Amino acid sequence: MFTEETDVLVIGSGPGGGVVASTCAARGLSVMVLERGALPPVEGSPAARREHGEGPSLIERQPCDDRTVWCNDVPRQMYVGGRAGGSSGIYGAALLRPQPVDFEPGAAYGARLPSELWRWPIRYDEFEPWLQRAERLCGVAGALQRDFQPCRAADGGGLPSELPLAPINQRVLGRLQRAGHHVWRLPLAIDADRCLRCDQCAGVPCPTGARWSALRVLTTAGQSCRSLILKPRTEAVRLEHAAGRIDGLEVCNRDDGRHYRIRARRYVLAAGAIGTAALLLASGIEHAQLGRNFMYHCSPVVVGLFLSSTGGRRTFIKQLGVSDYYNGTPDLPQKMGIVQSLPAPGPVLLAKNGLRALPVPLRQWLRDHMLPMVGIVEDLPSPENRVQLSGDGQIHLHHRFSAFDLQRAGALTRGISRLLKTAGARLTVAGKMPPAEHVGHQCGTARFGHNRQHAVLDPQCRTWSHPELYVADASFMPTSLGVGPALTVIANALRVGEILCNEL
Ligand SMILES: Cc1cc2nc3c(=O)[nH]c(=O)nc-3n(C[C@H](O)[C@H](O)[C@H](O)COP(=O)(O)OP(=O)(O)OC[C@H]3O[C@@H](n4cnc5c(N)ncnc54)[C@H](O)[C@@H]3O)c2cc1C
Ligand code: SF4
């Protein structure tokens, strides 16, 4: 079989893979990045503008991973990014810091979970400098709060400018603050100068490139470092290994079906929590915890309907976060997570969600008077929630939220309804839980830890079994945090990139 060679071979071009690759290339290492999906259309092109709609993205799922995953025995196409840039090509760019309590969740869950399931092998204060570097890299715009820290303090260079607050958010912010709630502006990795303030943002590709994506980092690094090669439509098939060493990676060119081998000094898996586990399983890399403890947040959505316009049909309204429920409520004093606003769903999605019978003008009126909010409930790791392969190589995902996850999601649903009513909503409607394929916050299938028996990766995110094999995507996380995972993934990828560079 034909063989290519490189210093560092990265599998997957999402935030984890993109950031490791660009870090290593900037330090002079030769780097190849394999991405099983295609390149997205060029920013600003007519094709990019066409894609920016709920039809192509949310219904046809053009930017998503095109594999079938059997979710609890039902075939589904997962709603995660499947092109260069990974899920950062369609994400919401709310890049929030986890809180110190997220790295020591034993205080909250110690009585429910054995410590090997929740323990992080790194302290928050050791990790914090990487969060700061990640925020700079992505141009996160946001402001430090006194009692909750979703982002960094302004440093000497100041912070990027934020998008102006939409009028509805000015009203909601004022009302919630006056009522004593901990409400703040979401830290967003969106370039205010290039942003069109679209009504649809999270979930669809950005037509202008205003939203930070891993592809931007790879493109910028590729322009300055000739040693970085991105290979789209190239799928990692199987790691070849013997006697505790990785000998090479079998890959497939998805355009001509040709298989060949790539050999590297170091291999970095960043194929997403499902994809990385699937590749390790397909390669016969064994570990009792591999593929287990899959998490993706238990996320209740509540829609508030206002008498006056929220602008949801015309402009960008995902701008606020609330931290009142992070550590629970008086009636349920259990750790939960943040609440954040969402864009109003488009007319096609509203129709798909049971409002098809309503005339289009009424649906449009509803969009223009709604403000949806979502809760990010930290779902607990469970070894039973796992990725597996069947004999024919198909990916199977078995997942059920625990009664405890659902109980907290229920409490947060009631909390969000109260918040929206305080903010002026006349009516609130609790949505159904998102369907099983909405696993954008997937993580946990190759956790890192101090103990090789309980963790697939060592604290440096190197597999215990093969010292030249690293994992740099969201798989490494032992618990799912009370905020979205992307900033933590990017920060950890910067850390792993630095470890690799020092090693090589
Ligand atoms: C709609 C949506 C909205 C989101 N919004 C937010 C948000 O606002 N804030 C936040 O913090 N997080 C958000 N997220 C989550 C965030 O995008 C992810 O946490 C992040 O992208 C994870 O990065 P990753 O590197 O782990 O993997 P991914 O981004 O999943 O990238 C993995 C890549 O690997 C490729 N791949 C898979 N298998 C192979 C293979 N065998 N060979 C080659 N390539 C392969 C995939 O095609 C993909 O491109 C959102 C996600 C989605 C889907
Ligand atoms: S609102 Fe801004 S960041 Fe979001 S898709 Fe539109 S241009 Fe891109």
Side-chain angles (χ1 to χ4, degrees):
M1 209 188 289
F2 175 73
T3 303
E4 292 183 1
E5 306 228 337
T6 183
D7 285 330
V8 181
L9 180 58
V10 179
I11 296 141
S13 64
V19 169
V20 167
S22 53
T23 306
C24 293
R27 296 273 288 272
L29 295 168
S30 64
V31 182
M32 260 185 221
V33 184
L34 310 183
E35 169 53 55
R36 73 180 293 286
L39 288 173
V42 176
E43 288 160 9
S45 67
R49 283 197 294 275
R50 266 197 307 277
E51 268 205 329
H52 178 78
E54 52 172 359
S57 296
L58 297 164
I59 309 295
E60 294 161 29
R61 306 211 172 164
Q62 290 174 9
C64 296
D65 193 315
D66 58 6
R67 286 175 289 192
T68 296
V69 174
W70 291 80
C71 282
N72 299 325
D73 300 326
V74 178
R76 292 181 188 270
Q77 185 189 356
M78 308 309 270
Y79 193 66
V80 294
R83 297 194 303 207
S87 283
S88 68
I90 52 173
Y91 77 153
L95 293 191
L96 281 87
R97 287 183 171 206
Q99 301 299 293
V101 63
D102 289 316
F103 278 43
E104 291 159 19
Y109 308 130
R112 292 176 182 273
L113 290 178
S115 63
E116 62 266 18
L117 277 188
W118 53 256
R119 197 175 291 290
W120 284 63
I122 186 167
R123 291 194 320 271
Y124 184 84
D125 60 323
E126 293 170 308
F127 196 69
E128 200 268 348
W130 299 106
L131 292 168
Q132 179 133 344
R133 283 173 65 171
E135 286 163 334
R136 285 214 189 89
L137 174 75
C138 305
V140 178
L144 185 80
Q145 308 300 309
R146 248 180 305 121
D147 45 3
F148 185 78
Q149 295 165 23
C151 59
R152 72 182 190 268
D155 48 26
L159 294 167
S161 52
E162 293 176 290
L163 290 171
L165 261 191
I168 176 65
N169 289 326
Q170 290 173 18
R171 296 200 295 275
V172 170
L173 186 77
R175 281 189 179 218
L176 291 182
Q177 275 175 343
R178 282 194 294 281
H181 290 287
H182 299 98
V183 54
W184 27 269
R185 298 188 56 160
L186 268 184
L188 294 169
I190 293 179
D191 178 345
D193 294 333
R194 293 162 77 189
C195 177
L196 305 175
R197 281 77 149 156
C198 321
D199 56 336
Q200 306 268 300
C201 181
V204 297
C206 175
T208 64
R211 199 172 60 198
W212 182 89
S213 88
L215 184 57
R216 186 195 297 175
V217 171
L218 281 169
T219 310
T220 311
Q223 282 159 356
S224 54
C225 321
R226 285 174 174 257
S227 57
L228 176 73
I229 299 172
L230 169 63
K231 291 182 170 230
R233 301 268 309 153
T234 305
E235 178 160 12
V237 177
R238 197 172 57 87
L239 287 155
E240 299 165 350
H241 56 100
R245 308 277 321 164
I246 304 291
D247 291 332
L249 175 78
E250 181 187 337
V251 305
C252 171
N253 178 324
R254 295 183 70 209
D255 286 326
D256 59 16
R258 192 170 50 102
H259 281 237
Y260 59 102
R261 178 189 294 125
I262 305 178
R263 296 186 69 182
R265 295 166 69 196
R266 295 292 178 275
Y267 301 80
V268 182
L269 290 193
I274 297 176
T276 284
L279 182 59
L280 286 168
L281 291 166
S283 308
I285 305 262
E286 288 174 6
H287 191 287
Q289 292 302 320
L290 177 60
R292 293 183 183 269
N293 305 301
F294 180 83
M295 295 164 280
Y296 69 97
H297 284 144
C298 195
S299 306
V301 177
V302 183
V303 176
L305 274 178
F306 292 71
L307 281 183
S308 56
S309 164
T310 58
R313 183 185 159 192
R314 287 167 281 111
T315 191
F316 182 84
I317 55 170
K318 177 185 161 174
Q319 291 183 298
L320 297 180
V322 180
S323 48
D324 290 299
Y325 303 102
Y326 211 83
N327 293 309
T329 57
D331 53 318
L332 188 62
Q334 297 288 353
K335 189 166 178 289
M336 296 186 192
I338 58 152
V339 172
Q340 63 187 44
S341 50
L342 284 179
V348 181
L349 215 55
L350 283 181
K352 201 175 167 217
N353 281 303
L355 300 186
R356 195 178 302 278
L358 290 186
V360 173
L362 187 51
R363 263 187 260 156
Q364 294 290 27
W365 185 90
L366 282 175
R367 285 192 72 213
D368 210 36
H369 289 77
M370 63 168 60
L371 178 68
M373 284 191 156
V374 61
I376 308 274
V377 173
E378 182 175 37
D379 49 339
L380 300 196
S382 159
E384 306 310 313
N385 289 335
R386 63 188 296 199
V387 175
Q388 287 176 296
L389 294 185
S390 52
D392 57 359
Q394 299 235 39
I395 303 174
H396 288 252
L397 175 63
H398 296 279
H399 183 272
R400 299 255 180 258
F401 286 117
S402 68
F404 181 57
D405 294 335
L406 295 170
Q407 183 191 17
R408 289 176 298 142
L412 197 51
T413 304
R414 293 187 290 279
I416 300 174
S417 280
R418 285 194 295 271
L419 278 175
L420 282 164
K421 291 218 170 108
T422 308
R426 289 306 167 102
L427 181 71
T428 60
V429 183
K432 284 187 285 187
M433 289 291 284
E437 67 265 31
H438 279 251
V439 295
H441 291 187
Q442 54 171 322
C443 62
T445 51
R447 57 205 298 116
F448 76 155
H450 281 303
N451 183 327
R452 62 186 305 153
Q453 222 189 320
H454 301 298
V456 181
L457 310 175
D458 73 9
Q460 279 71 43
C461 287
R462 192 190 285 121
T463 52
W464 286 105
S465 53
H466 296 85
E468 59 286 273
L469 178 60
Y470 285 77
V471 173
D473 58 26
S475 315
F476 86 100
M477 292 164 53
T479 54
S480 66
L481 316 172
V483 293
L487 188 74
T488 304
V489 173
I490 295 163
N492 188 55
L494 286 166
R495 188 180 77 97
V496 172
E498 182 80 11
I499 293 168
L500 267 168
C501 291
N502 291 339
E503 203 178 272
L504 291 178

